[in-house]
Amino acid sequence: MSAEIKSHLTDLLTQSLASVAPQTPASIIALERPKQAAHGDWACNVAMQLAKQLKRNPRELAQALIAGLPASPWLERAELAGPGFINLRLNPAAKLNTVRTVLAAGERYGRADAERGRPVLVEFVSANPTGPLHVGHGRQAALGDAISALLEAQNWKVTREFYYNDAGVQIDNLALSVQARARELRGEAVSFPESGYHGEYIREIAADYLAQNGDPGDLATVRRFAVAALRREQDEDLKAFGVKFDNYYLESSLYTDGKVEATVSALIASGKTYEHDGALWLRTTDYGDDKDRVMKKSDGSHTYFVPDVAYHVTKWLRGFTHAVNIQGSDHHGTVARVRAGLQALSAVTDAGIPRDYPDYVLHKMVTVMKGGEEVKLSKRAGSYVTVRDLIDEVGRDAVRFFLVSRKADTEFVFDIDLAKSQTEDNPVYYVQYAHARICSVLAQAGAQMQSLDTAELAPLTHPRELALAQRLGEFPEILAEAARGLAPHQVAFYLRELAGEFHSYYNAERVLVADEGLKLARLALILAVRQVLQNGLSLLGVSAPEKM
């Protein structure tokens, strides 16, 4: 049911509780959905929670609470069940009220002001600029953008950030790879770097470099050119994917601005470091890590988690007391190290950074299948499947919907054949087709659309109609729960269920019937379904086509 109806039922129980047990706080009342529809629309276990405290039999207490419920036009009846559950059954008018709520709210339906504009930084993709974005980056982009949209729907003030890892060994290997290919193109005999990048894109960058700069002898210039070229390419990939960022943060700036050295100095001052075998170590075991970690190697270079700690300090200092990182599961070890570094710093600086800062969403691998076989290589990237390959093959909508349709911490098989199929087994097609079907019916109805906001809904008495209305009412809760859990797959599941219920209704009942009142009521119902489908798809970055 809608938040309005849930709030109404909570208020009824609060009034009853105030008369039965005046000293008990109303905050103890919680409504849950029974697992079986036969048990009603909502259930409350407040009597069992309070029985021991009030020294009363839970069933007797539940019966007293039921007897004390004020009369309500939306509550059909309340029933005692089991050891003391209170099952609440709504009348049809309450369920159908959601239709009016949806039509009145429009694209705002489902949104809430829970967080009142508090700032949160969501960092995702953050790919090394060493090649085109691969499918794993695509899953991260789809998850990050959808999570950001869900947080915005709860009125978080979201900043989407991309952290460019433009420093370190991988960038050195990129520069050496481009330089080697450029020399090959000039006819020189060269040995390719052992840890170099072999994709065709390296040869393309090398050719462009030669055309613009000539001699590739200056490695620093080659490095800058290659990084800039791949940053542009990644930006184009993200644009094709419909993902935009508010801010880009360069890892290299942490070094040039002295933030890495300042972080190392502060960690030393914390007393949590020690030297061993010529290296500088951080006692991360003091903060739950399985072993201590090297901060600075014997050659003077920093390990990769040190700039990560420095970067997260900047997040905190920029006012982002809430931050979410979406990363691949191969970054699992980073979580404890970064948090340990932040806690050690917090102890010296009184920054007050919480132990669980930042939040992490770690996603697992994506396997791409076509024709029953795994697709492993891109013609251009050479060693992996790129996001652009997938978008070109099945379209942006299918890629985005598929990549958020499962929990992030589960491995995902992306079946290209399924993504291109026009069957109910293809979830994005199934949901979009429901939207297009409704658009077709509404187009046939024509001018009558103008009166749907105020259409009388009482003619809607069929169980399928009431079930559809009730499903619409679940949407705000789904969004709130998905935002809390950073779990956009819950929205994808919901949309699939809503589409399924609509298709079943559409196949069983005619909408454009001769009875004018019933027709208008049914048109209002499916218009509300269309609105919720639009709202949900929009949060996932997927279009809602009017024709298919």
Side-chain angles (χ1 to χ4, degrees), residues 454-489:
T454 57
E456 176 56 55
L457 302 176
L460 299 175
T461 58
H462 194 283
R464 290 185 190 275
E465 293 165 339
L466 298 178
L468 260 180
Q470 188 157 341
R471 183 70 70 185
L472 296 177
E474 295 173 3
F475 187 60
E477 276 189 82
I478 292 292
L479 296 193
E481 186 179 342
R484 282 193 299 270
L486 305 175
H489 70 277

Side-chain angles (χ1 to χ4, degrees), residues 72-325:
S72 166
W74 285 349
L75 181 62
E76 187 173 276
R77 64 182 184 276
E79 302 167 333
L80 173 63
F85 284 104
I86 300 173
N87 289 343
L88 304 168
R89 297 183 184 276
L90 299 168
N91 62 31
K95 296 178 181 180
L96 294 174
N97 181 72
T98 301
V99 174
R100 296 205 187 285
T101 302
V102 173
L103 296 181
E107 63 182 22
R108 297 288 307 168
Y109 180 68
R111 294 176 174 269
D113 190 29
E115 301 303 331
R116 302 184 181 278
R118 288 197 293 163
V120 59
L121 186 143
V122 182
E123 181 213 332
F124 57 105
V125 182
S126 294
N128 296 329
T130 54
L133 298 179
H134 56 63
V135 176
H137 295 135
R139 188 176 196 186
Q140 198 173 130
L143 285 168
D145 206 34
I147 286 170
S148 297
L150 282 168
L151 293 173
E152 286 171 335
Q154 301 303 304
N155 200 19
W156 285 96
K157 184 180 180 182
V158 177
T159 296
R160 293 165 170 83
E161 185 157 285
F162 189 121
Y163 176 58
Y164 271 118
N165 301 112
D166 63 337
V169 174
Q170 290 176 310
I171 301 300
D172 292 340
N173 288 335
L174 170 69
L176 290 169
S177 302
V178 172
Q179 186 182 57
R181 291 298 185 220
R183 285 176 171 165
E184 282 182 357
L185 290 171
R186 286 164 60 96
E188 300 177 30
V190 296
S191 58
F192 199 77
E194 185 177 342
S195 300
Y197 296 93
H198 293 269
E200 180 62 27
Y201 69 93
I202 295 294
R203 193 177 300 275
E204 294 171 4
I205 295 171
D208 289 343
Y209 179 88
L210 289 175
Q212 296 182 39
N213 299 278
D215 186 2
D218 184 352
L219 189 61
T221 304
V222 173
R223 179 188 288 108
R224 284 194 297 272
F225 185 89
V227 168
L230 284 167
R231 281 189 61 182
R232 287 194 299 272
E233 176 159 350
Q234 289 183 356
D235 288 347
E236 287 300 314
D237 288 343
L238 291 166
K239 183 178 179 181
F241 206 36
V243 175
K244 296 179 180 179
F245 287 89
D246 302 301
N247 194 45
Y248 294 87
Y249 200 102
L250 300 182
E251 180 186 359
S252 58
S253 72
L254 295 169
Y255 291 92
T256 56
D257 294 347
K259 289 184 171 61
V260 171
E261 285 301 333
T263 297
V264 172
S265 297
L267 287 172
I268 292 172
S270 74
K272 295 294 183 179
T273 64
Y274 62 94
E275 292 189 12
H276 178 67
D277 291 338
L280 182 66
W281 296 67
L282 179 65
R283 297 185 191 279
T284 55
T285 50
D286 287 0
Y287 303 96
D289 201 359
D290 58 342
K291 62 181 181 179
D292 292 342
R293 305 290 173 173
V294 174
M295 290 174 50
K296 184 181 285 190
K297 302 176 189 176
S298 56
D299 64 4
S301 64
H302 299 101
T303 54
Y304 71 90
F305 91 92
V306 176
D308 281 354
V309 173
Y311 171 47
H312 283 84
V313 170
T314 74
K315 290 184 181 182
W316 184 264
L317 294 177
R318 282 183 281 157
F320 294 110
T321 55
H322 294 272
V324 179
N325 291 4

Side-chain angles (χ1 to χ4, degrees), residues 23 175 207:
Q23 304 305 315

Side-chain angles (χ1 to χ4, degrees), residues 413-432:
V413 175
F414 193 108
D415 189 329
I416 287 177
D417 298 320
L418 176 61
K420 295 171 76 170
S421 68
Q422 296 186 356
T423 69
E424 65 179 50
D425 294 327
N426 179 351
V428 66
Y429 173 81
Y430 196 58
V431 174
Q432 288 182 319

